[in-house]
DNA sequence: AACGGAGTTCTTGTATACACGATTGTTGAC
DNA sequence: GTCAACAATCGTGTATACAAGAACTCCGTT
């Protein structure tokens, strides 16, 4: 537990939302949350204010908080922005790569290879996250890294759905290989282009997303 | 005043920070703010939690809230990300331009021309903001529009400093012209490239920024 | 004179109390 | 039977009270 209850609650509720325990559109009753976590309403309210500021929930005055339902189109828009930011991270990574970042990317890339070979999509899901984080870090822009990490978190549930699609894991891994090559070769523009394609969801991948969102 | 005091306070304090009334590093005392605005500590705390979540202030547990001082390097990173997002907005605007957006861009562009010709850098500062907002809107991506607007707000003070640099207003206007041409011609990649260059701060413009940040 | 420690004060973190608006349920009229 | 108005209830918004940690002061020691 964090040093103050408010932060802890924020993380706790955020996780519950991202793990789909609190579903989009669901009402978050302050009193219910307070008793559930064994605290008073005050820290609950503070946690909710923060989640509202982040954009995970919406607090309608005098009418309580509800989990925001982004809807397929907005999720698409979020992936679009994510693709752009990851592209920038890749560009910077290629230009600013140093020994430590190179090794971090290699290591996470290796782990992705193993879990992809094993066909373990849950393991790949986790390793993939670490791989992307290694690229953010290699870009050496704290602000960009934070923005990427935040958006990545918010898109986590949808990313997970995507990996369930047939062959997506192996395709993803092949794309990683090309990305690593471009970054290690110092070809920033190529890394950017590849990452944009890797993260963005064009064509049939968009329909896959919509389909999986509809059926959960 | 907004319907609830918390929101109102958030906006109020946010403006005070962005207008440099509350300076970076300054301590924000809850009790002082509460008496100043004539409310209790509760809504003040809620406002502060939100500002913390947005990243404008930092709340250190049991040690109060302080205004975050981004520092030149981090401001540079923020401009870097902003350039990328604006580039994407330009690309989308060129691809999705419709009559209404076209007219909105034309109108704001025209206002920029007038204030640039008059050499009124304060007026230009405002018109420039509207011009960029028109481009975000033309991109037809609500999420991107929100992200752009939020970053734009946070970078406002620095943008203002930049315009004070000699000839920056007229240079900026010339760049606007090229951007409008690219968007109207439907050349998305060109619009992206130009907007990246327009918003980003490379070379001597970075030193200008650092210099003006140091002397305020 | 400088440093360290104990006590005091001040501020934050959490709980509780109260007020007001929204929602819901019930009753009566058409 | 349906709709509207009023009442009761429930939940949020704000204030205040209390607890606990951090900072500051003052005094003593080296």
């Amino acid at each position: 537990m964090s040093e103050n209850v408010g932060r802890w609650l924020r993380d706790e509720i955020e996780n519950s939302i991202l793990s789909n325990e609190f579903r989009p559109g669901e009402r978050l009753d302050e009193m219910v949350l307070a008793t559930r976590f064994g605290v008073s309403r005050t820290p609950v309210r503070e946690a909710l204010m923060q989640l509202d500021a982040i954009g995970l929930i919406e607090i309608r005055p005098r009418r309580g908080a509800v989990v925001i339902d982004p809807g397929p189109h907005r999720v698409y828009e979020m992936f679009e922005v994510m693709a752009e930011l990851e592209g920038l991270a890749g560009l910077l990574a290629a230009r600013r790569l140093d020994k430590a970042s190179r090794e971090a990317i290699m290591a996470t890339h290796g782990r992705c290879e193993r879990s992809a070979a094993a066909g373990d999509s849950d393991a790949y899901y986790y390793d993939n996250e670490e791989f992307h984080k290694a690229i953010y870090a290699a870009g050496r822009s704290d602000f960009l890294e934070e923005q990427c990490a935040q958006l990545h978190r918010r898109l986590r549930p949808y990313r997970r759905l995507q990996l369930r699609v047939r062959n997506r894991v192996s395709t993803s891994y092949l794309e990683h290989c090309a990305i690593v090559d471009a970054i290690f070769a110092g070809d920033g523009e190529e890394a950017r282009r590849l990452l944009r394609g890797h993260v963005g969801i064009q064509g049939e991948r968009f329909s896959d997303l919509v389909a999986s969102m509809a059926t959960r």
Side-chain angles (χ1 to χ4, degrees), chain A:
Chain A
M1 182 186 321
S2 181
E3 46 241 316
N4 66 357
V5 183
R7 302 276 171 104
W8 170 61
L9 277 176
R10 169 170 61 74
D11 294 342
E12 210 66 24
I13 299 174
E14 178 179 0
N15 286 334
S16 297
I17 293 173
L18 292 181
S19 68
N20 214 34
E21 183 188 344
F22 295 145
R23 309 262 201 72
E26 184 172 340
R27 173 101 174 277
L28 297 178
D29 187 289
E30 297 176 358
M31 207 50 210
V32 171
L33 291 170
T35 54
R36 162 170 172 170
F37 291 106
V39 296
S40 84
R41 277 179 53 221
T42 308
V44 170
R45 281 183 62 79
E46 296 189 339
L48 293 180
M49 301 310 281
Q50 293 184 68
L51 293 173
D52 177 85
I54 293 172
L56 267 177
I57 67 173
E58 185 190 356
I59 298 181
R60 298 161 305 175
R62 289 246 173 234
R63 297 177 61 229
V66 294
V67 179
I68 283 191
D69 180 7
H73 188 254
R74 175 162 258 254
V75 171
Y76 171 76
E77 293 179 351
M78 291 167 79
F79 270 104
E80 200 169 46
V81 170
M82 180 93 240
E84 205 63 17
L85 293 183
E86 293 238 10
L88 178 58
L91 173 78
L92 296 179
R95 288 216 291 240
R96 301 175 180 171
L97 192 71
D98 66 353
K99 195 155 171 294
S101 303
R102 187 191 176 94
E103 282 166 5
I105 292 177
M106 276 294 279
T108 53
H109 183 50
R111 259 172 268 150
C112 284
E113 181 180 12
R114 276 199 296 280
S115 42
D120 185 343
S121 94
D122 283 338
Y124 186 83
Y125 162 78
Y126 178 75
D127 295 330
N128 176 61
E129 197 159 306
E130 296 300 312
F131 174 72
H132 283 270
K133 277 188 187 159
I135 293 178
Y136 307 154
R140 300 277 189 69
S141 170
D142 290 344
F143 182 71
L144 177 60
E145 193 176 346
E146 287 164 21
Q147 295 293 106
C148 284
Q150 193 180 328
L151 239 185
H152 199 111
R153 264 217 313 282
R154 276 181 74 176
L155 290 175
R156 217 149 90 172
Y158 310 102
R159 219 181 272 274
R160 186 158 220 159
L161 289 175
Q162 281 208 292
L163 283 178
R164 299 263 165 76
V165 174
R166 201 171 72 85
N167 281 341
R168 181 62 198 140
V169 168
S170 50
T171 310
S172 169
Y173 175 69
L174 287 178
E175 290 172 2
H176 280 199
C177 292
I179 290 164
V180 171
D181 286 346
I183 292 177
F184 285 5
D187 189 344
E189 285 303 334
E190 180 67 2
R192 163 139 76 182
R193 201 182 60 75
L194 289 170
L195 267 164
R196 259 200 219 120
H198 177 64
V199 174
I201 44 174
Q202 313 95 328
E204 62 182 23
R205 281 171 59 197
F206 179 59
S207 0
D208 289 344
L209 174 73
V210 175
S212 48
M213 281 178 74
T215 58
R216 63 172 179 171

